[in-house]
Every structure is written in C-alpha cells, then in structure tokens.
Amino acid sequence: MIFAGHIRRKFMAAAAVMLMTVSFMSVGASAKVYDEKDPPKVGERARHIIFDVLNKTKHPVFLKYRAEMDMDGEKLMTLCTLAMKGNITFLEMESKAQHMSVISDAGDHSHTLIMHGDKMYMKMKDSPIKLPVFGEPTEGGEEAKSSAPSYSAGSEDIGGKIYDYDKLIEKDSEPQSFYFNVMTDEWKYWLNSAMSDKLIEILEYGAKVDDALFKVPSGYQEMKMPY
C-alpha cells in the first residue's frame, strides 16, 4: 500500500506538470536564405512559424526542443517532444528527474499520462486543459483589426553567436521572440514565457509525425485514477 501510494503521488505530481505545460519537429525543408537585395520583412519569419510550421490545421506538427522547466519545484533542463495530428496531441518531457508523456484527445476530452520509469499509465477524462491552438488569424471587422498582433525585428547575441529575431506582441499576452540563423528562416530559439522563462532551444521541427507516439507503449500497466 505504501508503494502504491508513492506511485499515485508521483502520477498526480507528474499530471500537474504535464497538464500545465500542455496548456500553453528532423529539421524540416531546407531553410530559406535571404540576401541584402531581398531581406526578410519584419515579422515574416515569426508568421511563418506560427501560421505554417505550427499550424496543425494544415498538416501534422512535430517539434523537439530543450528548455529549463520547473519539475516538482526544481528547475531542470528538459528535453521535450510535441506532436499534433488532428485532435490528438502528444507531449513528452525527459529530464534527469523523470521521464513522462501525456496524450490528449480533444475529441473525447481524454488524457493519458505515461510514467516511463515506472512503465505505468493513467487515463483521465474531462480535465480542464486548454490545448494549444495554431491556425490562421481571424479576419473580420474593427475588433479583429484592433487585436491584430504587431511585430518588431532585430539581432541579438546568444552564447557568442548573432541571431536574427522577430518579436511578436499581442494584446493581453506576453511578447514572444523567435530567433533565426542570420538572413535565413531556420528557427533556432524561442522565448515564450508560457512555456519557460528561459530561452527554448529548437532542435527539430517539421510535419512528419510517427503515429506510434499516440499509443501507450506495450507492456505498461494501467493505474486507475484515485477518487
């Protein structure tokens, strides 16, 4: 019983981290290269990431990144994998402390939390989670125009190397910055306070998603949700 209680507490703590994170890709096609005669327009590259790369209404989305995350009150460097296809979202987080995944289905509002170290999983229903939504901006009247995001651009030194950036500013939201290799649209870093208060290192992104990500690995034992 002590062991079961310990595992249950681990599941609940992991659920809090995973579900909070959900609430807020090999590198894809060859990077576009700009030149002085045809430089990128302000916000052009950020819009490409938001409305093309991360737009699951157009194609599946795969994103792998490294970020400093709060895991049970401790800041840990965490390797994350996000995959979205149709109504299904997969998020995996792996750090020195724990390795866990969550599979969320927006269709039936179900969530499956997977603890890889224990080879166990738990299914939950109707959890109050707001999944990320990426898509084309709404077109319309004056209200839509007044809430349209604004952009700025510049360059910044990160770890001794210069990167271009596009900064996105939206009403009632924290600014986001997207960093690119100079004069290309190759996405390298992301500053998004909803996910981490430190720079997020982009490792891979694209539109190819392995459907096996959306399934519980074989041999894992189910733990029933405590009530």
Side-chain angles (χ1 to χ4, degrees):
M1 292 297 293
I2 294 175
F3 174 75
H6 170 69
I7 294 295
R8 185 174 291 112
R9 286 193 297 273
K10 284 183 66 176
F11 262 96
M12 299 312 294
V17 173
M18 295 295 290
L19 301 184
M20 178 180 65
T21 303
V22 171
S23 302
F24 66 50
M25 282 184 199
S26 73
V27 172
S30 299
K32 180 177 181 179
V33 178
Y34 299 88
D35 59 37
E36 293 182 359
K37 294 181 180 179
D38 183 26
K41 297 179 177 64
V42 173
E44 174 184 342
R45 290 174 287 186
R47 287 192 294 271
H48 170 64
I49 297 299
I50 298 166
F51 301 129
D52 294 322
V53 172
L54 297 179
N55 189 350
K56 71 173 186 175
T57 67
K58 288 185 175 181
H59 51 68
V61 170
F62 179 80
L63 172 65
K64 182 172 285 189
Y65 57 94
R66 186 166 24 237
E68 187 178 88
M69 315 279 297
D70 190 339
M71 308 289 280
D72 290 337
E74 183 180 2
K75 296 284 188 180
L76 294 175
M77 192 57 66
T78 305
L79 180 65
C80 303
T81 300
L82 173 69
M84 297 186 290
K85 187 175 183 180
N87 286 329
I88 311 296
T89 297
F90 166 87
L91 177 64
E92 179 180 43
M93 300 170 65
E94 184 174 3
S95 71
K96 67 177 183 179
Q98 52 193 342
H99 181 196
M100 53 192 176
S101 305
V102 65
I103 302 168
S104 296
D105 188 332
D108 63 8
H109 305 288
S110 66
H111 309 280
T112 302
L113 180 70
I114 305 168
M115 298 294 292
H116 296 284
D118 299 307
K119 291 192 173 182
M120 302 185 76
Y121 68 96
M122 179 186 291
K123 292 185 176 180
M124 295 170 279
K125 274 271 195 181
D126 300 320
S127 184
I129 301 173
K130 293 184 179 180
L131 295 173
V133 177
F134 302 109
E136 296 294 346
T138 302
E139 296 181 4
E142 292 304 316
E143 183 177 350
K145 291 179 182 179
S146 66
S147 62
S150 61
Y151 298 89
S152 62
S155 297
E156 188 173 323
D157 185 312
I158 300 176
K161 183 178 178 180
I162 300 297
Y163 294 89
D164 293 343
Y165 69 80
D166 277 351
K167 179 178 284 189
L168 164 66
I169 301 172
E170 293 183 287
K171 185 179 180 181
D172 300 325
S173 298
E174 292 293 324
Q176 295 185 54
S177 295
F178 301 83
Y179 294 84
F180 307 88
N181 278 337
V182 174
M183 294 297 281
T184 78
D185 67 354
E186 186 176 359
W187 189 22
K188 303 301 291 183
Y189 292 95
W190 190 9
L191 187 58
N192 182 343
S193 61
M195 298 170 69
S196 175
D197 57 4
K198 299 290 182 63
L199 274 176
I200 297 166
E201 181 184 6
I202 304 301
L203 303 175
E204 303 179 40
Y205 60 94
K208 292 183 179 180
V209 171
D210 184 352
D211 287 343
L213 293 175
F214 304 120
K215 299 177 182 177
V216 175
S218 61
Y220 281 42
Q221 179 181 353
E222 182 177 2
M223 172 170 277
K224 298 297 184 180
M225 184 74 173
Y227 294 100

